[in-house]
Amino acid sequence: MSRDLILQGISKTYANGVTAVQGIDLTLRAGEFVCLVGESGCGKSTLLRMIGGLEPATQGSITSDGQAVTGPGLDRGMVFQDHRLFPWLTVEENIAFGCGESLSPTDKQRSVEEHLELIGLQSFRKAYPHQLSGGMKQRTSLARALAAKPQVLLMDEPFGALDALTRIHLQQELLKLWQKEKITVLLVTHDIDEAVFLADRIAVMTPRLGTFRQVLDVPLARPRNRNEEGFIGLRKTLYDQFF
Amino acid sequence: MEPRVKFKNFSRALRALLLPFLLISLWQWLSYLGLLRPTLLPSPLTITQTGWDLLKTGELEKHLVISLIRVFQGFLIGAGLGLILGLALGLSEKLRQATQLLTEFLRPIPTIAWVPILILWMGIDEGSKITVIAIGSFWPVFLNTIQGVRQTDPHYLEVARVLEKPRWVLLTRVVLPSALPSIFTGFRIGMGIAWASVVGAELIAASSGIGFMILYAREVSQPDVVLVGVAAIGLTGLAIDTLLQKLESALLKWNSHVP
């Protein structure tokens, strides 16, 4: 059984006739980090939501963990741009919400501890979301998604609402988590720098057509330096696709 | 507490008390000048004296406690039903459609209009009085619960869907907490209406209660006792609402900074 995430001929047409996504083929190998880059409204979020099982595809098939995707599943975790933490739950309670329902209270507690440590927010365990900074909220949101032990993490512009410095910090932390947890990540972004810094492969979406213009390999070794030649060259290649 | 905060609270209290103080002073002054007839509007000092006497004999407390018990019983039934039915209707679009006509027909009927039919059905005992109060407190809780449940942010529901949460977790961890501020507003309005309708309920052949005290005093032409009763209703209502507000901010700590 393949643990890859396989998209075959995915299309999405809304009832009003607008086509958001058209004939997308992509295979995410287990443990791979793929970024989906495109302008606003190019259908990248729609594609992510279809993989998450939140919206059905009009055509094509999605296979995750060897099974056809027909709805949400614990094998696929999601992190949204608006952190979506429950304001009535503390940091630890929000993370606990991510844990599977079958977990015993002790296992749940252990998982919460583990994920609090992972994001370094042990001292904020009792804080409510409104008491956190934007970066802390997004870290907690990430921990909540990871607590469900997904094989694939789907991230929809997770750092889009953060300031530039916090964003860079979180990108580095995300890479560490990805290497530690050995999960597959599909991250949607419109930040070319972010894509080049994070991804093994970058899929560039065409505006309005809902198709891939190109799927690009990133042959740079990690940790990546944003100012070295290879990085700059790749960034230029990507910029040229848009401007 | 910091001195600055203390001073701020003090000046706020002062500002709140200023207007009542001025009005009562004016009232007392007009009474002193003989411009107000004591048989119609006794002076504040007379009313205070009567209130004090009624407190000393324990009569005022006796009536207040009896009314409070009625209000709490009625509120418990009305708010309880409002909460349960509100949750059910808030969650189910079909149930809402099925009951829409009925609720829209029943809702505008003033509570007091139920009194005669309730007397026919239930007699003039406690049952009919409590039912009047229950009807009064039902509507705000019912309507606010429906609204609160329906206004649950779909984004939060999506999080629960992605994490494959069972229905009861969705209800207890997402929908209910999200609706709680709205439900609490319903509780506070419902309690206010319940307390305000106690006089109406005690129109039903009561022989005790604050409403009875007022009505009886009117019959025997004791305007000071009437006004003591009115003031007691106002002050008790204020005290209950303050308690509910305290309870709300203790239970909904998270809500204090949410936009």
Side-chain angles (χ1 to χ4, degrees):
Chain A
M1 194 174 69
S2 163
R3 289 185 58 227
D4 297 349
L5 178 74
I6 304 158
L7 315 182
Q8 284 172 310
I10 297 296
S11 296
K12 173 85 184 179
T13 307
Y14 286 106
N16 59 11
V18 173
T19 299
V21 174
Q22 201 165 22
I24 292 282
D25 293 300
L26 183 69
T27 299
L28 277 87
R29 291 181 289 273
E32 195 178 19
F33 200 130
V34 175
C35 280
L36 209 56
V37 184
E39 290 172 31
S40 304
C42 71
K44 54 194 193 307
S45 288
T46 308
L47 183 60
L48 202 75
R49 289 173 60 80
M50 285 192 283
I51 302 170
L54 291 173
E55 283 178 36
T58 342
Q59 262 177 45
S61 71
I62 303 171
T63 314
S64 167
D65 200 16
Q67 293 208 314
V69 167
T70 52
L74 290 177
D75 53 322
R76 286 153 288 135
M78 282 190 95
V79 176
F80 303 91
Q81 177 177 0
D82 48 336
H83 53 85
R84 299 196 187 181
L85 296 175
F86 300 115
W88 48 87
L89 299 183
T90 60
V91 166
E92 58 180 359
E93 287 167 340
N94 263 295
I95 296 175
F97 191 87
C99 295
E101 288 302 311
S102 54
L103 252 53
S104 72
T106 24
D107 285 344
K108 216 173 202 173
Q109 189 53 43
R110 193 174 307 134
S111 172
V112 170
E113 286 308 321
E114 189 188 307
H115 287 93
L116 270 174
E117 202 190 313
L118 212 57
I119 56 168
L121 284 184
Q122 293 101 317
S123 53
F124 286 88
R125 62 174 71 227
K126 298 282 182 211
Y128 284 95
H130 71 79
Q131 296 165 313
L132 303 177
S133 70
M136 291 176 180
K137 284 178 197 162
Q138 209 49 274
R139 281 190 188 98
T140 310
S141 179
L142 181 61
R144 178 176 66 185
L146 288 176
K149 297 274 162 217
Q151 285 164 20
V152 181
L153 192 59
L154 306 167
M155 308 183 82
D156 192 1
E157 298 186 27
F159 311 136
L162 303 175
D163 65 85
L165 294 175
T166 309
R167 190 181 310 163
I168 290 171
H169 274 300
L170 278 167
Q171 286 165 358
Q172 287 165 343
E173 285 176 38
L174 175 62
L175 273 186
K176 273 187 208 147
L177 289 181
W178 165 69
Q179 279 159 343
K180 189 160 179 275
E181 304 278 305
K182 298 187 173 41
I183 47 173
T184 315
V185 177
L186 180 59
L187 186 145
V188 163
T189 181
H190 50 240
D191 181 345
I192 290 170
D193 236 67
E194 180 166 274
V196 179
F197 184 73
L198 293 172
D200 292 323
R201 279 193 297 157
I202 300 171
V204 184
M205 283 193 85
T206 321
R208 286 181 299 279
L209 294 179
T211 54
F212 286 158
R213 172 175 287 167
Q214 194 182 6
V215 180
L216 213 70
D217 278 311
V218 184
L220 305 172
R222 293 190 179 88
R224 290 175 185 162
N225 182 339
R226 290 171 209 260
N227 297 313
E228 67 162 29
E229 217 173 296
F231 198 102
I232 295 168
L234 205 56
R235 181 166 52 195
K236 189 176 178 322
T237 313
L238 278 162
Y239 264 99
D240 291 342
Q241 307 248 345
F242 290 97
F243 307 109
Chain B
M1 211 185 288
E2 273 183 71
R4 189 182 291 264
V5 177
K6 233 178 191 168
F7 176 74
K8 228 177 159 180
N9 286 346
F10 180 70
S11 57
R12 182 185 297 170
L14 213 62
R15 222 169 310 160
L17 287 171
L18 186 65
L19 187 62
F21 177 77
L22 284 178
L23 283 176
I24 291 170
S25 302
L26 179 70
W27 177 4
Q28 180 63 40
W29 186 56
L30 292 174
S31 300
Y32 175 76
L33 291 178
L35 292 171
L36 299 173
R37 263 202 293 173
T39 47
L40 290 180
L41 187 58
S43 77
L45 278 178
T46 314
I47 295 170
T48 314
Q49 182 62 48
T50 309
W52 180 245
D53 291 342
L54 286 171
L55 271 175
K56 265 198 308 200
T57 57
E59 207 183 326
L60 185 60
E61 294 97 310
K62 184 192 79 183
H63 288 306
L64 262 180
V65 166
I66 288 170
S67 291
L68 274 172
I69 291 172
R70 283 182 187 136
V71 165
F72 282 120
Q73 286 173 325
F75 178 78
L76 227 56
I77 297 169
L81 282 174
L83 183 65
I84 294 166
L85 292 177
L87 283 176
L89 262 69
L91 290 169
S92 162
E93 170 84 43
K94 283 184 188 136
L95 218 54
R96 262 199 316 279
Q97 287 165 349
T99 52
Q100 191 185 15
L101 255 175
L102 188 67
T103 51
E104 278 175 15
F105 159 72
L106 289 173
R107 194 169 51 92
I109 300 174
T111 315
I112 212 83
W114 292 106
V115 170
I117 198 75
L118 286 176
I119 293 176
L120 272 180
W121 288 346
M122 311 176 78
I124 54 170
D125 293 334
E126 286 299 292
S128 50
K129 298 184 185 71
I130 290 169
T131 309
V132 169
I133 296 167
I135 294 173
S137 47
F138 169 79
W139 290 106
V141 177
F142 176 66
L143 296 171
N144 276 285
T145 305
I146 294 180
Q147 195 194 345
V149 170
R150 289 189 65 192
Q151 278 175 352
T152 309
D153 190 336
H155 283 175
Y156 293 145
L157 299 179
E158 227 169 57
V159 170
R161 261 181 77 201
V162 167
L163 291 166
E164 290 203 301
K165 293 295 163 185
R167 251 185 104 76
W168 65 270
V169 175
L170 187 74
L171 192 66
T172 54
R173 295 298 263 177
V174 184
V175 175
L176 211 55
S178 149
L180 212 51
S182 180
I183 293 174
F184 242 101
T185 306
F187 280 163
R188 276 179 59 195
I189 302 173
M191 186 47 115
I193 292 180
W195 183 240
S197 56
V198 75
V199 178
E202 283 167 359
L203 279 170
I204 310 172
S207 57
S208 60
I210 196 77
F212 161 78
M213 191 188 93
I214 292 172
L215 295 166
Y216 183 75
R218 184 194 61 83
E219 271 172 42
V220 296
S221 291
Q222 292 178 312
D224 50 340
V225 178
V226 172
L227 288 168
V228 166
V230 170
I233 289 178
L235 286 172
T236 312
L238 182 69
I240 295 174
D241 194 58
T242 310
L243 272 175
L244 277 177
Q245 262 187 60
K246 288 253 186 311
L247 187 67
E248 181 177 5
S249 49
L251 280 176
L252 301 177
K253 262 185 297 192
W254 59 269
N255 200 32
S256 53
H257 294 266
V258 174

